[in-house]
Amino acid sequence: MPARVTKAGSRGLVPDELALVLAQAEVGAIEAVGGFAGTLFMRSASPDLLRMAVIAGLPGPLFRPWWRMHVNRPFPVAEVYRSGQAVHLGDAEEAMRRFPQFMAGLPFPFGSLFVPICHGRERFGVLAVLRPATPGQPVGEEDRRRLHEAGLRLGETLDGLGADGSRIEWDGEPVSVTLPALLTPPVRVGHFDWNLDHGTVTGDDELCAILGTDPANFPGTVEAMAARLEPEDAYGLWTVARQAAESDRPVSRRMRLQGPDGRPHLLEVSGRRARSSSGDTDTHLTGFLVDLGAGPVVPEAADRLPHGVCTVDRLGRITYVNRNAETMLGHPRGELAGRVLWDALPWFSQAAHEDHYRAALLSDEPVHFTARRSDDWMSVSVFPGHDGLTITLTPGERPAYAPGSVLAPGAGLGSPADRAVALYRPVALAIALTEAVTARQVSAVVTEELLPAFGGRQLAIYLLSNRQLYLSWETGFPRGFLSRFDGVGLDARLPGVETLTTGRPIFFESMQHLADAYPGIPLDAHVGARAFLPLIASGRPVGTCILGFDQPRGFSPEERTVLTALAGLIAQALQRAQRYDSEAALARGLQDALLPHRLPVVERLDTVGRYLPGTQGMEVGGDWYDVVETGSGLALVVGDVQGHGVAAAATMGQLRSAVRAFALSGHDPQEVMTGTNRLLIDLDPGQFASCCYIVLDPVTGMGQAVRAGHLQPLLRHPDGTTEVCGFAGGIVLGVDADATYPVTQMRLEQGAVLALFTDGLVERAGIDIDLGIEWLRTTLADLGAAGLSDTADRLINEARRSADRPDDIALLLAARSSDSTGPDEYGGAGE
């Protein structure tokens, strides 16, 4: 099911209805601004992830790497969704300047326009249109307006579809849409009758229209008809007439007639001698003239060409194959027609070839490359057009880098496009690696960027520790196969070890070559090639990277150079990640020591705390919660220090200690906040933090609340209604030493629940924080009479579903009960 709709009501949205709405909007946007293709991204169940819902005019599988888009990626789609502002890129130069990582993956000359799909304050996704580049010319105001209106119309439609409480989301694969062909003259058919005995011709209005003649002025003679023909066709027409006049058998012929605009039309005539009722004999030729408009591919003409010709539409489906192409491809045209090119011919589906197809589809430039079918090599040229691609095939020479070939000095990749692939893939990987922080993120980037670039299917990364290699990441290998190599020492005779100890990459064109070089080495079921790359950064060994391929293949000198260089980039990223991991472990340990491990047990006032670190960067931040027994009641504290990492955790520990010290010294809430503010300014000028501090009397439920730039708590009343508190507040801590913090009087009724939290629980990229607070309010209300610990777990588990959380989360719940409760109810420190 491609569409996912979550709602509070009973009626659901049919997935096909949503797909149709989105497809119509995308096609309309493309036509409105003269595009040749486009995509539509929608929000998904994961708040940090956009998914491609529609791809129009392009083959979906060729653009699989872009099906998922994190909202924080430096791509135009993500920026438009985050900011709610349109992005218009006239050409590749402008796109490269503003979004280098986006263009590193698609380095082709095209223009692109992106607008948000929104209604009011709600954002559903992004409309994107691709069109020919306009170098040096900004996108026109009229096109900007049309696309902006398309986004607003779609946003209004989606808002209407979700008016009953549904949440419109997309969690499946994109829907592929064929764009309408360019407008061409319609097919017209005109009929005529030629009386050979009298030399008269009668024709209908459509015939006159095709010939460019007013029906009232139609000459009505065969000489006028013949004047429209080429001399050769005129003789042919008279020959047909003579055959009809002299034969008692039916005569039929077909020829071309040139129209007034110079385009050829199809003329088909048939005739025979007929005897009328009066006994007279008349000979008639009847027929029709067909205006084919632009005209289809003429099979006979293409079959006469000395090379193979095939055409595919913009979704990659084969629409025509000539006879020579049948021979070269090894399949009859009836078997190929209608099938997707790279599905019908798997040897056409190499990653490098996919780049060539993308280049042709996204630009007006022809693309040339060399492909191999079995032992035959062929030169392939791809010529793009609005409605598809025309591909020509000619016999080609075996490249110098083909498997089994002797690599000549200076032998290079087969075409300039091959060299472009070798150039921009390292750029894309290098840019992506700069954003990867942890070893897990580095490995994921390598999987997403490096494997597709070279057609790899397997990847393994081993990291060096105490002169042993330990498996850190794997994908594509049989389950458990690599475990036998985990923890091997540097004295083992294995290619993964020797590539690191020698510092030289090792390439094997097939598994047989690997087995010959290392007799007895365990092999998996694959028969393809292997590349073992040393991961060395700043002269220090970091580990080994292994690339696996499903089929035997050679490695050109350029590929070997590129892979070796990429291995160095990966090694540097992993070394940096190891430093981050060490610092993160230190920060986590520091934070764990500073957060409370158990909350105090107090009669009539139950408390539960939870903490959840982020999943990006250092994974630790400055969020904290605390419960302090004071002489005037129980103090509830939640705070958030700016930033992440060791510094934020250390500052958090100092502030938590300061709040506790002021509270235990008998200071009222306002004094606690002003004293903590001055302390932070003295400790670290320029650092700031938010905080919410509430003191409650467990017996009466009366309390005092003070805020310093922190989010308002939520209060669920005993009857289940839940509201956002209206506590007065001052500016954040650490800004103004003379700041004051007003106090708000409050009361917590028996059976009521008070929720204090940090912004990580309700803030999502590209979504207004008010929507997150409203989600928390309704969720807290819906949980009803659930236990306090269960309530905290449910709230925190919703946040846990997001794999990419840029911020950590602190949550503190407090509830008044009528009597004492055992310690198991409180849940202590949480996670």
Side-chain angles (χ1 to χ4, degrees):
M1 180 179 295
R4 178 177 184 271
V5 181
T6 57
K7 60 182 189 62
S10 59
R11 185 181 68 83
L13 180 68
V14 178
D16 288 346
E17 180 183 355
L18 177 60
L20 181 59
V21 167
L22 299 180
Q24 289 176 330
E26 179 62 45
V27 172
I30 293 171
E31 293 182 335
V33 297
F36 57 75
T39 58
L40 190 152
F41 285 82
M42 286 286 291
R43 64 190 183 187
S44 68
S46 174
D48 298 327
L49 187 68
L50 301 175
R51 287 184 179 270
M52 186 187 293
V54 176
I55 180 167
L58 295 172
L62 280 189
F63 293 83
R64 183 180 293 272
W66 294 271
W67 283 10
R68 295 158 50 95
M69 182 73 63
H70 194 283
V71 295
N72 288 325
R73 291 296 296 274
F75 281 34
V77 168
E79 178 172 306
V80 170
Y81 185 77
R82 290 194 311 267
S83 67
Q85 301 297 316
V87 168
H88 306 103
L89 305 172
D91 58 12
E93 182 178 347
E94 182 181 3
M96 178 62 78
R97 184 173 62 252
R98 295 183 58 183
F99 301 96
Q101 186 170 335
F102 170 59
M103 291 306 295
L106 296 169
F108 313 120
F110 64 93
S112 51
L113 291 73
F114 307 84
V115 294
I117 304 168
C118 55
H119 183 76
R121 302 177 68 180
E122 187 166 12
R123 295 174 197 161
F124 296 98
V126 176
L127 263 173
V129 174
L130 309 182
R131 66 181 197 175
T134 55
Q137 300 180 14
V139 176
E141 288 298 326
E142 185 65 19
D143 287 341
R144 294 172 184 245
R145 181 187 62 78
R146 290 173 180 170
L147 202 59
H148 175 71
E149 291 176 351
L152 291 180
R153 285 195 301 270
L154 179 55
E156 184 177 359
T157 301
L158 296 180
D159 184 72
L161 292 176
D164 61 349
S166 303
R167 177 172 170 81
I168 309 300
E169 298 171 342
W170 191 274
D171 282 296
E173 295 184 355
V175 172
S176 292
V177 181
T178 301
L179 292 176
L182 288 173
L183 292 177
T184 57
V187 174
R188 298 180 294 178
V189 179
H191 297 82
F192 66 89
D193 181 275
W194 177 11
N195 187 318
L196 297 179
D197 295 331
H198 298 86
T200 59
V201 177
T202 58
D204 60 10
D205 291 348
E206 199 68 23
L207 178 73
C208 295
I210 295 173
L211 295 176
T213 301
D214 185 272
N217 298 322
F218 184 70
T221 64
V222 68
E223 289 79 11
M225 286 276 292
R228 298 282 182 174
L229 298 176
E230 294 293 331
E232 297 86 353
D233 289 336
Y235 283 109
L237 180 61
W238 287 112
T239 301
V240 170
R242 183 179 293 276
Q243 289 176 337
E246 296 176 354
S247 174
D248 290 330
R249 295 176 302 169
V251 176
S252 180
R253 290 292 184 272
R254 176 178 292 180
M255 62 194 68
R256 296 279 170 175
L257 181 147
Q258 183 175 328
D261 58 358
R263 290 185 297 112
H265 303 309
L266 175 66
L267 177 68
E268 185 164 305
V269 295
S270 61
R272 61 174 300 167
R273 183 183 300 168
R275 188 177 298 275
S276 66
S277 59
S278 62
D280 297 332
T281 300
D282 285 335
T283 303
H284 286 258
L285 282 181
T286 60
F288 53 85
L289 181 66
V290 182
D291 178 5
L292 295 173
V297 173
V298 182
E300 311 93 83
D303 283 341
R304 289 192 289 269
L305 295 175
H307 46 257
V309 176
C310 68
T311 60
V312 300
D313 65 16
R314 292 195 67 87
L315 299 187
R317 297 172 300 194
I318 300 172
T319 56
Y320 174 75
V321 180
N322 76 344
R323 289 177 182 170
N324 280 331
E326 285 184 301
T327 302
M328 298 182 71
L329 298 177
H331 296 276
R333 67 183 74 181
E335 181 181 320
L336 295 174
R339 299 184 62 188
V340 175
L341 176 65
W342 35 90
D343 290 341
L345 306 168
W347 48 274
F348 250 137
S349 64
Q350 295 182 21
H353 298 344
E354 292 180 357
D355 282 316
H356 299 310
Y357 303 141
R358 282 192 285 266
L361 288 164
L362 297 180
S363 70
D364 295 327
E365 302 287 334
V367 175
H368 311 280
F369 61 96
T370 302
R372 178 190 182 191
R373 171 182 172 264
S374 186
D375 291 330
D376 298 326
W377 290 86
M378 60 187 73
S379 296
V380 182
S381 295
V382 184
F383 301 91
H386 183 278
D387 298 325
L389 307 175
T390 297
I391 302 173
T392 63
L393 309 168
T394 57
E397 297 294 329
R398 183 187 189 93
Y401 59 86
S405 298
V406 177
L407 293 170
L413 295 173
S415 73
D418 289 325
R419 297 185 179 92
V421 171
L423 173 64
Y424 81 77
R425 281 298 184 181
V427 174
L429 179 61
I431 296 174
L433 285 175
T434 62
E435 300 179 355
V437 176
T438 67
R440 177 181 65 85
Q441 291 171 339
V442 171
S443 301
V445 166
V446 175
T447 302
E448 295 171 1
E449 298 286 350
L450 186 62
L451 284 185
F454 294 91
R457 295 294 181 267
Q458 298 89 35
L459 171 72
I461 294 178
Y462 286 83
L463 296 180
L464 181 65
S465 178
N466 296 324
R467 295 189 58 79
Q468 291 180 304
L469 288 172
Y470 294 94
L471 183 62
S472 173
W473 179 277
E474 66 169 308
T475 182
F477 286 93
R479 182 183 297 273
F481 172 76
L482 296 176
S483 299
R484 70 196 72 191
F485 304 109
D486 196 16
V488 298
L490 295 184
D491 56 348
R493 189 175 185 276
L494 294 169
V497 173
E498 293 187 357
T499 189
L500 183 61
T501 56
T502 63
R504 293 183 294 101
I506 305 175
F507 299 93
F508 298 100
E509 295 183 352
S510 69
M511 294 300 286
Q512 183 59 49
H513 291 175
L514 175 59
D516 293 342
Y518 292 87
I521 187 174
L523 301 176
D524 59 7
H526 292 88
V527 298
R530 287 287 186 274
F532 295 84
L533 308 174
L535 301 179
I536 300 174
S538 302
R540 296 183 177 181
V542 175
T544 297
C545 178
I546 305 173
L547 296 179
F549 303 84
D550 285 343
Q551 300 296 327
R553 57 159 295 169
F555 296 92
S556 69
E558 283 88 348
E559 286 180 309
R560 294 173 184 243
T561 300
V562 167
L563 285 172
T564 303
L566 293 179
L569 294 177
I570 297 168
Q572 292 174 4
L574 285 170
Q575 187 181 61
R576 185 176 66 248
Q578 288 175 329
R579 290 197 299 268
Y580 272 106
D581 290 340
S582 298
E583 185 178 350
L586 174 62
R588 283 193 295 269
L590 175 61
Q591 188 171 50
D592 186 61
L594 293 174
L595 286 172
H597 287 245
R598 183 170 180 79
L599 301 183
V601 178
V602 179
E603 291 187 2
R604 300 185 182 180
L605 192 58
D606 307 335
T607 57
V608 169
R610 295 290 185 266
Y611 174 79
L612 188 65
T615 60
Q616 296 182 11
M618 296 300 300
E619 299 184 358
V620 292
D623 291 16
W624 89 92
Y625 65 89
D626 203 358
V627 178
V628 186
E629 291 185 88
T630 72
S632 56
L634 196 67
L636 311 176
V637 188
V638 164
D640 183 359
V641 177
Q642 174 201 24
H644 300 83
V646 174
T651 301
M652 177 271 288
Q654 292 172 315
L655 291 186
R656 176 175 176 248
S657 298
V659 172
R660 289 185 67 89
F662 286 124
L664 292 172
S665 299
H667 290 81
D668 62 36
Q670 187 178 53
E671 293 171 335
V672 170
M673 201 62 68
T674 55
T676 305
N677 176 49
R678 295 191 186 99
L679 177 65
L680 178 57
I681 292 175
D682 292 339
L683 286 174
D684 188 359
Q687 179 68 282
F688 60 87
S690 67
C691 184
C692 184
Y693 180 92
I694 302 174
V695 178
L696 290 173
D697 183 340
V699 178
T700 64
M702 297 303 296
Q704 294 180 310
V706 61
R707 292 189 309 115
H710 201 81
L711 295 175
Q712 293 277 8
L714 297 181
L715 177 62
R716 190 181 74 199
H717 296 283
D719 62 0
T721 59
T722 304
E723 63 179 345
V724 179
C725 296
F727 298 155
I731 64 174
V732 292
L733 305 173
V735 175
D736 182 4
D738 298 323
T740 59
Y741 299 93
V743 176
T744 302
Q745 304 294 326
M746 63 161 296
R747 183 172 184 270
L748 187 65
E749 303 172 90
Q750 289 187 4
V753 176
L754 187 65
L756 291 80
F757 52 92
T758 56
D759 56 7
L761 185 62
V762 294
E763 196 170 37
R764 298 289 184 273
I767 300 177
D768 194 289
I769 193 171
D770 290 340
L771 297 177
I773 293 174
E774 178 61 18
W775 161 80
L776 182 61
R777 187 193 68 78
T778 56
T779 304
L780 185 61
D782 292 343
L783 290 176
L788 209 58
S789 291
D790 289 341
T791 299
D793 290 338
R794 292 279 296 277
L795 295 177
I796 213 75
N797 285 339
E798 284 291 329
R800 194 191 301 275
R801 293 180 182 178
S802 176
D804 295 300
R805 294 187 305 276
D807 206 355
D808 50 347
I809 297 170
L811 172 68
L812 180 62
L813 301 182
R816 272 192 75 213
S817 58
S818 59
D819 52 19
S820 176
T821 313
D824 289 343
E825 173 65 22
Y826 306 108
E831 327 221 341

